[in-house]
Amino acid sequence: MTIKYRQLPPIVLGVVVTLFFAGCAAVGPSYQPPRPAIPGEWHEPAAGISPQVDPGLNSWWTLFNDPLLDALITRATAANRDLRRAEAGIRAARAQRIVAAATGSLGTSALSTHSRRSENSSSSSDDTQNLFQLGFDAGWELDVFGGVRRAVEAADASLAASHEDMRAVLVTLQAEVARNYLELRGGQRRRAAAMENIATQEKTVALVRGRFEMGLGNELDLVQAQTQLALTRAVIPPLERSIRQAMHQLAILAGQPPASLISLLTGAETGPMVPPRLPVNLPAATIRQRPDIRAVERRLAAATAEIGVATADLFPKFSLDALFGLRSSSLGDLVTAGSRYWSIGPTVNLALFDQGKRRAVVKINEARRDELLAEYEQTVLTALAEVEDGLVAFAHERTTGQILAEAVVSGEKAVRIANGLYEAGLTDFLDVLQSEQALYQSQDQLAQSDQRLTLAMVAIFKALGGGWQDQETRENGATAGGDSRQNPEQTPPENIPQ
């Protein structure tokens, strides 16, 4: 049997019409991921670097083959305050998503009053009256123009951005731990080279003093040797200061008091091993990998959805409201059939005169979207530049280190020759002094070059955005219900530029 709309009660007809409109498409622009122009390969190829996606990027610090560095990064990941703050941001974004999806309410109320009428009132009823009431109310806002759907879409994107923010904090944290650790080891190596030269120069001072006391040398040689020794000793205090400050910073990154890791970090002073080859992602894979790019892309998606939320406010709002309860002037009659009351029906709410406020909100959200689009494009350019800078720094520093290593070998040979000639009386002390100065300078510069080389590697790994995939299990455990997207090198995340 076909039921014509004229046969339907007005309330039912209103509900049917409202539900029909509820299936309409959401207003506002639908999000389209930006697709920036990305080069197919890096412009700065570096010797010893393989431009390919390498799963070792997930835990890049292990390429240094330093167990202590591995332990420090693990400790920092477990206890760092910045990561805990980022986790709190994820919880807040998840709660906001629940708020955005809420479209209805159910409540209950109870009322008991005792009132007195005015003596001058025209009513003929008693001067005093009791009123007892118990009721339930429910409301459901129909998402006719998709405002709620757009709000949920924005909340989902904001939640995803919060996850990426946490990953960005993780990437930065790992890079900071590695950087401070490498600076510590570099300072310790420079101190070791200085101490070695101090020992050599002390022997030289003793030799010159002995020759002077035997009348085979002059006082100027002795004074010059003592001056060189003092200058080398003066290098130690600044190195000690930088070493201790690096230890303090590592402890803070690990969430511990500044002096808590001094005993652990004092000891072996050999620097981390430089891997023979350095894996590097291709540019497009880098864009999918970096959390900061992924975060701003998700915020761009959220801002686009917010335009739809603001646009939906320009249209009428439809809701279904229901009320049921019991009301009586006598508590004993409250639960009888005659005390019942109810109401049900659709409600339409339309703001006609708001002086352009709602349209201005739409324009605000459109401007915010355009702002984030520009930020996304700039973030991509910055990421590409950071990788290029790291690659060129790594390549040129490796060449510098090879040259300085040759200089150290030649300097050691020069010192041996000069000392032999001086002891034999075949040359003056100036040759010894100059050869020792050149050796120390080349050793110190080599230690600094090695440090810069490893720091350039850290900068490359950070610029590539590596280091967060291995933390998925921990992150999902700490923030139950987190996303479970796969490694972007294997399956690119949804809405991330390909």
Side-chain angles (χ1 to χ4, degrees):
M1 181 178 66
T2 303
I3 300 178
K4 298 182 179 180
Y5 74 92
R6 292 186 180 88
Q7 297 175 289
L8 296 175
I11 291 178
V12 177
L13 180 61
V15 172
V16 171
V17 173
T18 303
L19 290 175
F20 171 77
F21 281 110
C24 298
V27 297
S30 296
Y31 177 67
Q32 296 294 330
R35 299 188 179 276
I38 303 174
E41 59 184 11
W42 300 111
H43 182 266
E44 291 289 349
I49 294 181
S50 55
Q52 60 185 5
V53 175
D54 191 291
L57 188 65
N58 301 351
S59 54
W60 53 264
W61 55 89
T62 59
L63 296 176
F64 289 107
N65 195 28
D66 191 317
L68 184 53
L69 174 59
D70 300 345
L72 288 171
I73 289 182
T74 300
R75 186 177 299 190
T77 302
N80 187 263
R81 267 64 173 179
D82 289 335
L83 275 177
R84 289 165 53 184
R85 183 172 58 186
E87 290 173 349
I90 291 176
R91 295 197 303 271
R94 186 175 293 113
Q96 185 60 42
R97 199 267 184 205
I98 297 175
V99 173
T103 60
S105 64
L106 177 65
T108 181
S109 62
L111 174 68
S112 175
T113 63
H114 179 75
S115 61
R116 182 183 186 279
R117 296 181 180 273
S118 170
E119 294 179 357
N120 297 325
S121 173
S122 59
S123 175
S124 61
S125 59
D126 295 339
D127 290 341
T128 60
Q129 181 179 14
N130 294 321
L131 179 64
F132 302 93
Q133 179 175 315
L134 179 65
F136 297 90
D137 61 89
W140 178 35
E141 181 179 340
L142 301 177
D143 192 23
V144 177
F145 298 101
V148 175
R149 279 170 281 171
R150 292 300 192 193
V152 172
E153 181 182 338
D156 284 338
S158 297
L159 176 59
S162 297
H163 280 280
E164 302 303 339
D165 286 339
M166 180 175 176
R167 290 168 180 151
V169 171
L170 181 62
V171 170
T172 301
L173 172 64
Q174 293 164 346
E176 282 299 296
V177 172
R179 183 182 65 81
N180 281 274
Y181 181 77
L182 294 172
E183 288 180 348
L184 166 67
R185 290 311 189 204
Q188 290 174 330
R189 183 176 175 184
R190 292 182 63 195
R191 181 182 62 183
M195 296 299 296
E196 181 180 346
N197 278 272
I198 288 173
T200 300
Q201 291 168 14
E202 286 175 343
K203 294 178 181 179
T204 301
V205 170
L207 173 63
V208 174
R209 180 180 290 111
R211 290 176 60 84
F212 174 68
E213 291 174 353
M214 291 186 298
L216 300 177
N218 57 66
E219 187 177 5
L220 178 59
D221 292 345
L222 178 59
V223 173
Q224 288 177 331
Q226 292 172 336
T227 301
Q228 178 62 30
L229 175 60
L231 290 174
T232 306
R233 284 174 173 169
V235 175
I236 299 300
L239 290 175
E240 292 285 2
R241 181 190 65 223
S242 63
I243 289 171
R244 190 56 60 92
Q245 289 174 345
M247 292 179 177
H248 293 169
Q249 187 61 31
L250 284 169
I252 292 173
L253 290 171
Q256 300 184 25
S260 60
L261 298 181
I262 292 178
S263 59
L264 176 66
L265 298 173
T266 301
E269 300 181 356
T270 57
M273 182 185 71
V274 178
R277 295 188 66 83
L278 180 62
V280 174
N281 278 343
L282 294 173
T286 300
I287 300 308
R288 294 195 297 270
Q289 172 77 10
R290 279 184 57 130
D292 58 338
I293 295 178
R294 295 156 63 98
V296 72
E297 187 273 338
R298 289 289 80 204
R299 288 191 173 89
L300 175 60
T304 304
E306 290 290 350
I307 297 175
V309 175
T311 303
D313 282 341
L314 300 175
F315 298 91
K317 292 185 179 296
F318 298 90
S319 61
L320 290 176
D321 299 304
L323 179 64
F324 171 79
L326 301 170
R327 182 186 296 134
S328 174
S329 59
S330 171
L331 182 61
D333 296 334
L334 181 63
V335 295
T336 62
S339 299
R340 292 179 297 178
Y341 70 94
W342 61 272
S343 68
I344 183 172
T347 302
V348 181
N349 183 12
L350 174 62
L352 297 177
F353 304 104
D354 64 351
Q355 299 180 346
K357 176 182 176 181
R358 285 175 171 78
R359 294 189 180 277
V361 172
V362 174
K363 294 181 179 179
I364 290 173
N365 284 280
E366 289 175 343
R368 175 59 177 162
R369 175 202 57 191
D370 295 342
E371 178 185 356
L372 284 168
L373 177 59
E375 180 181 347
Y376 173 84
E377 293 171 346
Q378 183 60 43
T379 304
V380 170
L381 292 176
T382 301
L384 297 175
E386 288 177 356
V387 179
E388 295 280 11
D389 290 345
L391 292 176
V392 70
F394 180 85
H396 289 282
E397 200 59 57
R398 170 164 279 185
T399 302
T400 300
Q402 293 171 349
I403 296 173
L404 288 172
E406 296 174 358
V408 169
V409 173
S410 299
E412 292 172 345
K413 182 177 180 180
V415 168
R416 290 194 300 269
I417 294 174
N419 281 327
L421 294 175
Y422 178 72
E423 291 180 16
L426 300 177
T427 187
D428 56 25
F429 181 69
L430 181 60
D431 293 336
V432 176
L433 189 64
Q434 290 177 340
S435 61
E436 289 184 347
Q437 288 176 337
L439 175 60
Y440 171 67
Q441 290 176 358
S442 61
Q443 289 175 333
D444 187 63
Q445 290 179 18
L446 178 59
Q448 294 184 61
S449 177
D450 288 344
Q451 178 178 315
R452 289 193 299 268
L453 181 66
T454 53
L455 291 177
M457 294 175 60
V458 172
I460 292 173
F461 288 129
K462 181 182 178 183
L464 293 172
W468 59 264
Q469 291 93 335
D470 286 347
Q471 306 302 323
E472 287 283 342
T473 301
R474 173 189 178 274
E475 180 180 317
N476 289 339
T479 57
D483 69 19
S484 58
R485 288 179 287 185
Q486 301 297 317
N487 187 330
E489 273 77 346
Q490 298 171 353
T491 304
E494 184 180 359
N495 290 333
I496 297 297
Q498 305 300 309

